[in-house]
Amino acid sequence: MISIEQLTVEFGGTPLFDNIGFLINAKDKIALVGKNGAGKTTLLRLIAGTQNPTRGNIVIPSDLTIGYLPQHMVHNEGTTVMEEAEKAFEHITKIQNDIERFANELATRTDYDSAEYLQIIEKHSRASEHFHIINPGNFQAEIEKTLLGLGFLRKDFERQCSEFSGGWRMRIELAKILLQDPDVLLLDEPTNHLDIESIQWLENFLITSSSALMLVSHDRAFIDAVTNRTIEISLGRIYDYNTNYSKYVELRKERHEQQVRAYENQQRMIQDTEDFIERFRYKATKAVQVQSRIKQLGKLERLEVDLEDTSRLSLKFPPSPRSGSIPVEIENLSKAYGNHLVLDNIGLIVNRGEKVAFVGKNGEGKSTLVKCILDEISYSGKLKLGHNVKIGYFAQNQASLLDENLTVFQTIDNVAVGDIRTKIRDILGAFMFGGEASDKKVKVLSGGERSRLAMIRLLLEPVNLLILDEPTNHLDMRSKDVLKEAIKAFDGTAIVVSHDREFLDGLVTKVYEFGNKKVLQYMGGIYEFLKKKKIENLNELGLSQSQTTMAEVPLEKEVSGNKLSYEARKELNKKIRKAEKEVEQAENAVEKFENEIADMQTQLENPEKASNPEFIMLLQKKQRELEQKMYEWEILAEELEELKTSEL
């Protein structure tokens, strides 16, 4: 569909892309990956047509439609949420208006034999035919379904867009793009402003969408679920893998190892050949062999090892001063903005050394409670910080608060005090701002580079309570991994507000869910929380209006005797058979994992296996996979039971 041909992009004579090329096909779901500043956003802009290359071509068919969601955009004013979403169907509304206008003209004119009258008939016919080809159906239902899926409530539909934060307005733009159903979707960090539930809804939407997709995201779980192809940008070149991100990581490592082995083997062969030539160059009896070897080297296609971007973030929080045993204690806390109650009589305790997550839909009070802890806003109730608590805070909009006219070095030099000022260059180097990069102006930095710069502030003073509000937004995969390990190694307490499941997995041991003005505590990690939430939702007898979409229609029932109609019973039996098959498949998978784990545990009796870290990691991976499959089996069995119950 789209052909990228010999594309080169240069900034100040330095190439960002160097003669790259690839195709985007109709069924592709592409994850575009690479370090911050590698050029992912630039490539999306080039394909979207908002930026031009230095050299090369991007060939796009004239009838191809593209939907592009940038990281930052100018939002429209003066419309409600519903009115803005309806703009996705402006082409349908225009056709409807044209049909109505042509019909009115035909009804009022009497010059039936004139050329103008015949032209109006032709236009009316073409517009009507086009309308039926589009087959728009009830697009109001589609709008509601999409807005609800992205976290809006029905009561939000008639609110002015200007009343919403930038993150929520990005959701409106995302809804418009999805509703347009373009041939190709270009999405730049679409999950940055979504909560976990909305991300899961978007996952399902993109998986089932017929649109081709090119996606930039640092949410590993999200791109693994959605994509089937991975294109890596590294040092001006691209590497194309026909698989999802997790498999790409494995293949990329294997490819590099194979290249290194082949290169080393060839280098040994070249050295041996050159040694032979040098040894026998002046022996007449070896003249033929020497000339043969010289020709052989001349024809040899020299192998190269792909250059790797080895620059890496090095992050270690300084030792924290010891705090009291309970850094944060909250009782009966309430917070309202005017008549709008956000938190109602909540309570929680965070113990020293704990790593906890705040999760929940946007607007449910996560950032509000953080501001209460920071004593930035007033509240009622009790909030007590423990003895000697020193807070380090990373705000969600921290990167946008930087002065764009300062250099990287000046940004840190302005806030550093004391002996730390002598170490600024070292700190910047650890954050991949070494050498000339420290003299870059903030305004030319990518989103991830700005986030890294803002993160440095946390290192300037030892703290024992880290509060991180969406710290992974704009960070690349490797930087996120380093940050995650640094927080795990941090000897203080951490509160992490995040929607990134993969980042929270293995990091937090307690989850606080914000919703309906309350805060609920869940012991365990993020996936244990999601598992419990799924089961609880299945056991709920009804859904609130805010959860109900127009696509969720109950099975039709006969009025007399409350029995299922024939068609409904037929459909239900079909669903039951499908559910039974899925349960059986899940049971077989569980049994397979259990057998594999039992066999591996038997092998642990061998000291060599028991001391092999790779074997232990593989066993732990199998155990996690078993837990996930057990969870899937429980959910499927629960759904099957519900279907059978509805049959009665």
Side-chain angles (χ1 to χ4, degrees):
M1 290 199 302
I2 297 178
S3 177
I4 287 80
E5 301 172 351
Q6 299 178 318
L7 200 68
T8 297
V9 174
E10 296 176 348
F11 291 108
T14 303
L16 182 64
F17 302 129
D18 187 14
N19 201 35
I20 66 171
F22 61 93
L23 293 173
I24 300 175
N25 303 305
K27 300 292 183 182
D28 284 341
K29 309 280 188 184
I30 301 171
L32 192 59
V33 302
K35 285 194 171 187
N36 292 126
K40 301 185 295 294
T41 293
T42 298
L43 185 54
L44 290 187
R45 288 174 181 162
L46 290 166
I47 297 172
T50 62
Q51 186 172 329
N52 295 318
T54 306
R55 292 184 297 278
N57 298 301
I58 299 176
V59 181
I60 303 174
S62 59
D63 60 344
L64 192 81
T65 55
I66 295 176
Y68 172 46
L69 180 76
Q71 281 189 39
H72 309 286
M73 63 193 310
V74 177
H75 301 284
N76 292 322
E77 300 288 344
T79 56
T80 66
V81 172
M82 179 59 74
E83 288 169 345
E84 194 64 31
E86 285 175 345
K87 290 182 179 180
F89 297 95
E90 282 181 333
H91 60 298
I92 293 177
T93 305
K94 182 180 181 303
I95 294 172
Q96 287 177 318
N97 292 338
D98 286 344
I99 292 172
E100 186 176 342
R101 179 166 54 83
F102 294 144
N104 289 336
E105 281 194 53
L106 292 173
T108 56
R109 295 179 71 125
T110 57
D111 53 338
Y112 307 121
D113 296 326
S114 68
E116 291 84 354
Y117 193 87
L118 294 176
Q119 284 178 354
I120 296 171
I121 291 176
E122 178 65 23
K123 289 179 181 178
H124 183 272
S125 177
R126 278 205 307 269
S128 299
E129 184 178 346
H130 189 194
F131 185 78
H132 289 300
I133 289 173
I134 294 173
N135 189 24
N138 184 3
F139 62 79
Q140 287 295 133
E142 287 300 311
I143 292 175
E144 292 193 16
K145 177 182 174 183
T146 303
L147 289 175
L148 290 168
L150 290 174
F152 290 93
L153 304 177
R154 291 187 188 279
K155 64 183 180 182
D156 295 328
F157 293 174
E158 300 308 317
R159 289 175 59 189
Q160 290 289 314
C161 294
S162 57
E163 296 178 23
F164 291 87
S165 66
W168 280 96
R169 296 177 77 173
M170 288 296 287
R171 293 192 191 205
I172 299 171
E173 296 299 329
L174 177 58
K176 285 165 59 178
I177 292 170
L178 298 180
L179 287 165
Q180 287 167 359
D181 192 26
D183 297 314
V184 180
L185 281 167
L186 305 175
L187 304 181
D188 196 351
E189 296 288 4
T191 64
N192 271 0
H193 303 288
L194 301 182
D195 51 60
I196 288 177
E197 291 182 17
S198 297
I199 290 173
Q200 291 176 320
W201 178 89
L202 182 59
E203 270 183 16
N204 293 328
F205 183 97
L206 294 177
I207 289 169
T208 57
S209 170
S210 60
S211 301
L213 171 69
M214 179 169 275
L215 168 70
V216 174
S217 176
H218 298 136
D219 187 327
R220 189 172 300 166
F222 179 70
I223 63 172
D224 258 348
V226 169
T227 62
N228 55 24
R229 180 179 168 194
T230 305
I231 293 179
E232 177 193 15
I233 304 176
S234 180
L235 300 174
R237 302 177 66 182
I238 67 162
Y239 302 90
D240 198 342
Y241 296 81
N242 193 29
T243 186
N244 70 357
Y245 181 81
S246 290
K247 187 64 177 174
Y248 140 77
V249 173
E250 297 175 15
L251 293 176
R252 180 177 179 274
K253 183 180 178 182
E254 290 175 8
R255 176 180 62 82
H256 186 69
E257 290 173 350
Q258 290 168 357
Q259 279 188 334
V260 170
R261 285 196 298 270
Y263 174 79
E264 290 174 346
N265 289 337
Q266 188 183 67
Q267 289 300 304
R268 280 195 296 270
M269 185 273 288
I270 291 171
Q271 187 62 51
D272 291 344
T273 304
E274 289 176 343
D275 289 345
F276 179 90
I277 293 170
E278 189 63 32
R279 192 180 319 125
F280 299 110
R281 181 183 295 275
Y282 303 108
K283 281 200 173 185
T285 57
K286 297 286 187 179
V288 175
Q289 292 96 320
V290 168
Q291 287 302 315
S292 175
R293 301 291 173 90
I294 291 174
K295 289 180 181 178
Q296 181 184 348
L297 283 183
K299 294 178 180 178
L300 184 66
E301 186 175 339
R302 304 291 175 114
L303 298 177
E304 294 182 354
V305 177
D306 290 332
L307 288 173
E308 286 200 310
D309 192 347
T310 55
S311 58
R312 185 173 177 85
L313 174 66
S314 175
L315 173 57
K316 184 178 180 181
F317 290 104
S320 63
R322 188 174 179 82
S323 70
S325 59
I326 302 179
V328 181
E329 182 177 3
I330 296 172
E331 291 182 22
N332 304 322
L333 184 146
S334 296
K335 173 60 186 176
Y337 294 100
N339 295 325
H340 178 54
L341 185 63
V342 179
L343 297 171
D344 182 19
N345 201 33
I346 67 165
L348 61 87
I349 290 177
V350 179
N351 297 304
R352 183 177 60 225
E354 282 188 326
K355 312 294 191 294
V356 305
F358 284 2
V359 304
K361 290 185 176 181
N362 294 344
E364 293 289 355
K366 302 186 298 295
S367 295
T368 294
L369 185 57
V370 166
K371 290 177 181 177
C372 292
I373 296 172
L374 296 170
D375 201 25
E376 291 183 356
I377 57 175
S378 60
Y379 54 86
S380 62
K382 176 184 175 184
L383 192 160
K384 179 183 176 184
L385 297 182
H387 171 68
N388 197 35
V389 168
K390 298 183 184 300
I391 298 176
Y393 176 48
F394 181 88
Q396 187 173 164
N397 63 338
Q398 198 86 39
S400 64
L401 301 178
L402 300 172
D403 187 337
E404 293 193 337
N405 295 314
L406 296 180
T407 65
V408 169
F409 182 86
Q410 289 169 337
T411 299
I412 301 305
D413 189 45
N414 285 356
V415 295
V417 294
D419 292 341
I420 198 73
R421 297 192 66 187
T422 64
K423 301 177 182 178
I424 291 177
R425 294 285 181 188
D426 294 335
I427 294 174
L428 290 175
F431 275 74
M432 301 191 303
F433 289 118
E436 295 179 359
S438 65
D439 297 322
K440 282 184 177 180
K441 288 283 183 74
V442 171
K443 61 185 174 185
V444 305
L445 300 181
S446 69
E449 289 170 325
R450 293 189 186 204
S451 291
R452 291 206 308 270
L453 186 58
M455 191 72 71
I456 294 176
R457 295 173 181 235
L458 287 180
L459 300 182
L460 298 181
E461 185 178 351
V463 299
N464 48 34
L465 174 58
L466 281 174
I467 301 179
L468 308 174
D469 193 353
E470 301 291 3
T472 64
N473 281 2
H474 308 296
L475 287 184
D476 59 52
M477 302 281 192
R478 297 180 192 177
S479 298
K480 283 204 311 182
D481 289 342
V482 173
L483 176 59
K484 180 175 177 177
E485 292 305 313
I487 299 172
K488 286 168 71 174
F490 176 57
D491 58 358
T493 308
I495 297 173
V496 184
V497 183
S498 178
H499 58 253
D500 190 325
R501 294 157 293 173
E502 192 276 334
F503 181 75
L504 294 174
D505 184 32
L507 173 61
V508 301
T509 55
K510 188 190 293 183
V511 176
Y512 288 106
E513 182 195 17
F514 288 66
N516 298 320
K517 305 174 182 61
K518 299 292 184 182
V519 179
L520 300 178
Q521 174 184 298
Y522 293 81
M523 298 302 297
I526 189 65
Y527 282 105
E528 286 85 354
F529 157 72
L530 291 174
K531 175 181 175 181
K532 291 171 185 173
K533 280 292 295 178
K534 183 74 172 179
I535 292 172
E536 287 173 8
N537 289 343
L538 286 172
N539 289 333
E540 287 176 2
L541 294 177
L543 294 172
S544 66
Q545 184 185 29
S546 66
Q547 293 170 306
T548 306
T549 72
M550 296 191 69
E552 296 168 339
V553 182
L555 289 170
E556 180 189 355
K557 299 214 173 185
E558 295 274 6
V559 176
S560 60
N562 202 32
K563 296 290 185 183
L564 289 174
S565 69
Y566 170 77
E567 288 299 327
R569 178 173 291 281
K570 183 178 176 182
E571 182 65 23
L572 178 60
N573 287 336
K574 182 179 176 182
K575 289 183 178 179
I576 289 174
R577 287 194 300 273
K578 181 182 177 184
E580 287 174 337
K581 184 177 180 181
E582 290 174 341
V583 169
E584 182 182 359
Q585 289 172 342
E587 287 173 347
N588 292 337
V590 167
E591 184 179 357
K592 179 173 177 287
F593 278 122
E594 287 176 337
N595 292 337
E596 289 177 353
I597 290 170
D599 180 56
M600 293 180 74
Q601 288 174 334
T602 302
Q603 294 181 54
L604 284 176
E605 297 173 5
N606 182 339
E608 187 177 334
K609 288 287 187 183
S611 60
N612 185 335
E614 291 183 1
F615 183 80
I616 299 299
M617 288 177 64
L618 180 59
L619 175 58
Q620 292 172 343
K621 180 184 176 185
K622 291 285 184 185
Q623 289 170 333
R624 289 195 298 271
E625 289 174 340
L626 172 61
E627 290 175 4
Q628 179 64 27
K629 190 55 68 174
M630 282 289 292
Y631 163 56
E632 291 175 11
W633 172 80
E634 289 174 4
I635 299 304
L636 290 169
E638 202 61 63
E639 291 173 346
L640 175 59
E641 189 62 32
E642 286 191 357
L643 287 170
K644 288 183 174 180
T645 302
S646 66
E647 187 180 23
L648 300 177

